[in-house]
Amino acid sequence: MRKFKYILPVAIALASASCNKATFDINSNPNLPTSLPISKILPTVEKNLGSALAISSGISQNLEPTIHRITTREAPNGYNIQPTDAYIAAMWNTMYVSVLNNDEIIISSGTAGGNLRYVGIAKVIKAYALSQLVDVFGDVPFSEANKLKTPIINPKFDSGAAIYPQLLTLLDDAIANLNGAAGTLVPGADDVIYGGVASKWIKAANTLKLKLYTQERKVKNVSTEVNALITANNLITQTSESFLLPYGKSPAPDDRNPGFADYYATQRGENVSPWFYEIMKGYNPNIFTNNADPRIPYYIFNQIKLGQVAPNDANQTEYRDSSFTSLYFGSTGVNNGFAQQNTQSLLGIYPVGGRYDDGLGKGSGINQTSGTGAAPYRFITYADRLYLEAELINTGVVTGDARAKLQAAINESFKQVDYVITTYVKPSDANPPQTVPALVGRPAVTTYITKVMAEYDANPSRQLQIIMTQKWISSFGSAVDAYTDYRRTGFPILFNPSDPTMAPGGKVQPPINGDPVNPGAQKAVPVQLLKPFPLSLYWPQGELETNSSAPPQKEPSTYKVFWMP
């Protein structure tokens, strides 16, 4: 694994002064350098791409609650995100200023100098970043944004339907650049994603194309395009080729996964959603019932020791199931506001580089040394590629064996957990160190997958739901595509406080025997929905107020991204 240290160019450090604009002209400011080496810019572009999307630093902080994998006491609870939300602004500003603007510098400088491998990498990043912006917001600045030589202060918003084809063309250009002569400057360790290996970037570009076409399948016939990509098979084909951003374990300068911050926060904010937990635990009566997922201790760390009765804080918990504690989405319960700093279950070793749940708990001993925080942010993994193919076959876009693809995708999802832990997180460096058992090869994993496939076989009308729910479980910690998948397919089924079958009488019942403090009497919790589900997110209010070409603010519950029918 490459040693991971980010270099922060002065240009990017000073860019925050203009971060509410979709343009930033580095060459018009005399206080900023005009010829920073592209080898110094690339690692920070890659780092900021992850920061714009991750939990705690970017849009996954809002989208993980929206897709019901974490819960918080903040705005996403009840879908109550506002146009002034800090994480909406963080994604927008980081993407346009720190990623796309600096990406254009790499493309411009690299093209002029004949350093085409840098150019190809920058174009793949540009296409991915803009696709994520379209998928979250819909229409966004594109054709008039990030013009370095002739900056446009008030760039218009282009339609997502017009942007997507240009991103696919951009990816073709990137592949041509990556296949060409590299030039005199060749990326190596400064490319923290793939170490400058052109063949891996080409596979990432093709797999991104497959993803974009799949996302369009309901509004466009993409059969020819996806068949060509699958037949050529120059896609991500193994775990080690996954498109991801590695993080480090250093607290100063901090290069850890942003989502690890809850381990040393003075007020912890991220709870694992009971809906997500119960599906993994086998409690949900409608899917994977009585089929406990062996990934639970890799996904979730419980601060309460297994078998412990009293919580680590003096306050009553809202949701408890033995060592697991959490809060409900949309909760208005009396115990929702009580501090659970040393009691609440935390995101575990796989999603954020925290601790593996060995049942020993930690109580007040959890801190920044309890894990390494070195879990990568996963942009597109090999498992994702297999789930895409399973979906395409299931929906008749391409021919093939959807069952075999799903089974391969689930197997790869388990392998991916082992790979992330051994290659990146390295739990032996935590304090105290941990030895984490491998998932692959365990009988419990075989049993789990066998039961999932039996459920798939027995329910032809629910096969797409099973594919998408497994993909949702697999991608925990990287939220944008799961948000996109739900809006495209309607799956997985999400918790709805207004649904009388999920919350009869406006209340939802935790496991009745789950709280050993109140055996057989854990109380039902009142829940309510504050706003409808957002089909896209608000545009940042700061952008609308400073960009005279911006449209009026949208209504997220009715504003569809173009790939939604």
Side-chain angles (χ1 to χ4, degrees), residues 281-300:
K281 194 71 175 176
Y283 293 169
N284 189 290
N286 299 312
I287 192 165
F288 310 146
T289 309
N290 297 321
N291 190 12
D293 195 319
R295 289 170 289 191
I296 290 173
Y298 302 79
Y299 278 34
I300 304 166

Side-chain angles (χ1 to χ4, degrees), residues 394-546:
N394 174 268
T395 55
V397 178
V398 298
T399 60
D401 187 340
R403 186 190 193 280
K405 286 294 180 185
L406 172 61
Q407 187 162 357
I410 299 172
N411 277 306
E412 175 59 23
S413 296
F414 280 89
K415 183 179 178 182
Q416 183 176 280
V417 174
D418 289 343
Y419 174 75
V420 163
I421 291 170
T422 58
T423 307
Y424 298 100
V425 179
K426 300 186 183 303
S428 60
D429 293 336
N431 182 23
Q434 286 191 301
T435 299
V436 177
L439 276 167
V440 174
R442 288 176 56 192
V445 173
T446 302
T447 299
Y448 174 79
I449 296 173
T450 299
K451 287 184 176 180
V452 170
M453 299 315 300
E455 185 171 348
Y456 178 89
D457 293 338
N459 296 277
S461 65
R462 294 177 50 238
Q463 288 176 349
L464 182 60
Q465 179 187 359
I466 290 169
I467 291 169
M468 302 312 296
T469 304
Q470 280 295 322
K471 187 181 180 187
W472 172 71
I473 294 171
S474 175
S475 65
F476 185 37
S478 304
V480 176
D481 287 355
Y483 176 53
T484 296
D485 288 342
Y486 174 75
R487 291 173 293 158
R488 292 190 304 109
T489 69
F491 300 120
I493 302 298
L494 300 180
F495 175 61
N496 182 358
S498 298
D499 186 333
T501 63
M502 297 182 183
K507 292 185 177 182
V508 60
Q509 178 63 57
I512 194 71
N513 294 307
D515 183 3
V517 176
N518 299 289
Q522 188 163 206
K523 294 180 179 179
V525 178
V527 290
Q528 68 177 21
L529 197 60
L530 299 177
K531 287 185 176 182
F533 183 88
L535 302 180
S536 61
L537 296 190
Y538 284 115
W539 291 301
Q541 192 61 32
E543 179 69 23
L544 302 192
E545 291 173 354
T546 57

Side-chain angles (χ1 to χ4, degrees), residues 9-15 17 24-34:
V10 176
I12 297 171
L14 297 181
F24 181 75
D25 183 16
I26 187 174
N27 294 318
S28 67
N29 190 330
N31 296 315
L32 299 182
T34 59

Side-chain angles (χ1 to χ4, degrees), residues 161-465:
I163 294 172
Y164 252 48
Q166 296 178 74
L167 300 184
L168 291 161
T169 300
L170 182 65
L171 287 166
D172 288 336
D173 292 344
I175 292 168
N177 293 143
L178 291 161
N179 274 322
T184 55
L185 292 179
V186 180
D190 55 318
D191 170 18
V192 297
I193 293 176
Y194 282 133
V197 179
S199 60
K200 290 185 177 181
W201 278 105
I202 291 169
K203 290 186 174 186
N206 281 319
T207 309
L208 175 54
K209 288 176 66 176
L210 181 69
K211 184 174 87 75
L212 298 183
Y213 282 128
T214 303
Q215 290 173 186
E216 290 186 287
R217 68 172 176 81
K218 286 194 170 183
V219 296
K220 177 183 176 182
N221 185 343
V222 297
S223 179
T224 299
E225 293 86 352
V226 296
N227 269 298
L229 286 165
I230 293 169
T231 300
N233 199 31
N234 197 11
L235 302 163
I236 295 171
T237 55
Q238 56 184 315
T239 317
S240 60
E241 294 174 348
S242 294
F243 182 29
L244 50 79
L245 178 73
Y247 284 104
K249 58 182 180 180
S250 171
D254 195 342
D255 64 356
R256 298 169 295 184
N257 186 305
F260 181 68
D262 237 24
Y263 274 71
Y264 52 91
T266 55
Q267 186 173 348
R268 295 186 172 117
E270 279 70 71
N271 295 266
V272 177
S273 165
W275 184 255
F276 185 60
Y277 168 78
E278 290 193 351
I279 287 177
M280 293 192 75
K281 194 71 175 176
Y283 293 169
N284 189 290
N286 299 312
I287 192 165
F288 310 146
T289 309
N290 297 321
N291 190 12
D293 195 319
R295 289 170 289 191
I296 290 173
Y298 302 79
Y299 278 34
I300 304 166
F301 174 72
N302 296 317
Q303 295 193 79
I304 296 178
K305 184 178 180 179
L306 189 64
Q308 178 180 328
V309 174
N312 295 323
D313 300 286
N315 299 319
Q316 175 62 45
T317 56
E318 175 170 281
Y319 181 104
R320 186 169 175 186
D321 185 39
S322 183
S323 297
F324 176 81
T325 70
S326 188
L327 306 170
Y328 276 112
F329 177 88
S331 169
T332 58
V334 295
N335 297 320
N336 181 268
F338 291 151
Q340 302 289 348
Q341 178 77 359
N342 302 310
T343 295
Q344 72 182 72
S345 297
L346 305 175
L347 276 63
I349 191 169
Y350 177 61
V352 300
R355 285 191 76 78
Y356 168 75
D357 188 45
D358 52 12
L360 300 179
K362 281 286 283 185
S364 60
I366 285 293
N367 55 46
Q368 67 175 353
T369 68
S370 300
T372 66
Y377 185 87
R378 289 160 276 124
F379 301 124
I380 308 175
T381 66
Y382 178 38
D384 293 332
R385 174 250 167 121
L386 294 170
Y387 285 116
L388 288 169
E389 290 192 55
E391 176 191 345
L392 289 167
I393 297 168
N394 174 268
T395 55
V397 178
V398 298
T399 60
D401 187 340
R403 186 190 193 280
K405 286 294 180 185
L406 172 61
Q407 187 162 357
I410 299 172
N411 277 306
E412 175 59 23
S413 296
F414 280 89
K415 183 179 178 182
Q416 183 176 280
V417 174
D418 289 343
Y419 174 75
V420 163
I421 291 170
T422 58
T423 307
Y424 298 100
V425 179
K426 300 186 183 303
S428 60
D429 293 336
N431 182 23
Q434 286 191 301
T435 299
V436 177
L439 276 167
V440 174
R442 288 176 56 192
V445 173
T446 302
T447 299
Y448 174 79
I449 296 173
T450 299
K451 287 184 176 180
V452 170
M453 299 315 300
E455 185 171 348
Y456 178 89
D457 293 338
N459 296 277
S461 65
R462 294 177 50 238
Q463 288 176 349
L464 182 60
Q465 179 187 359

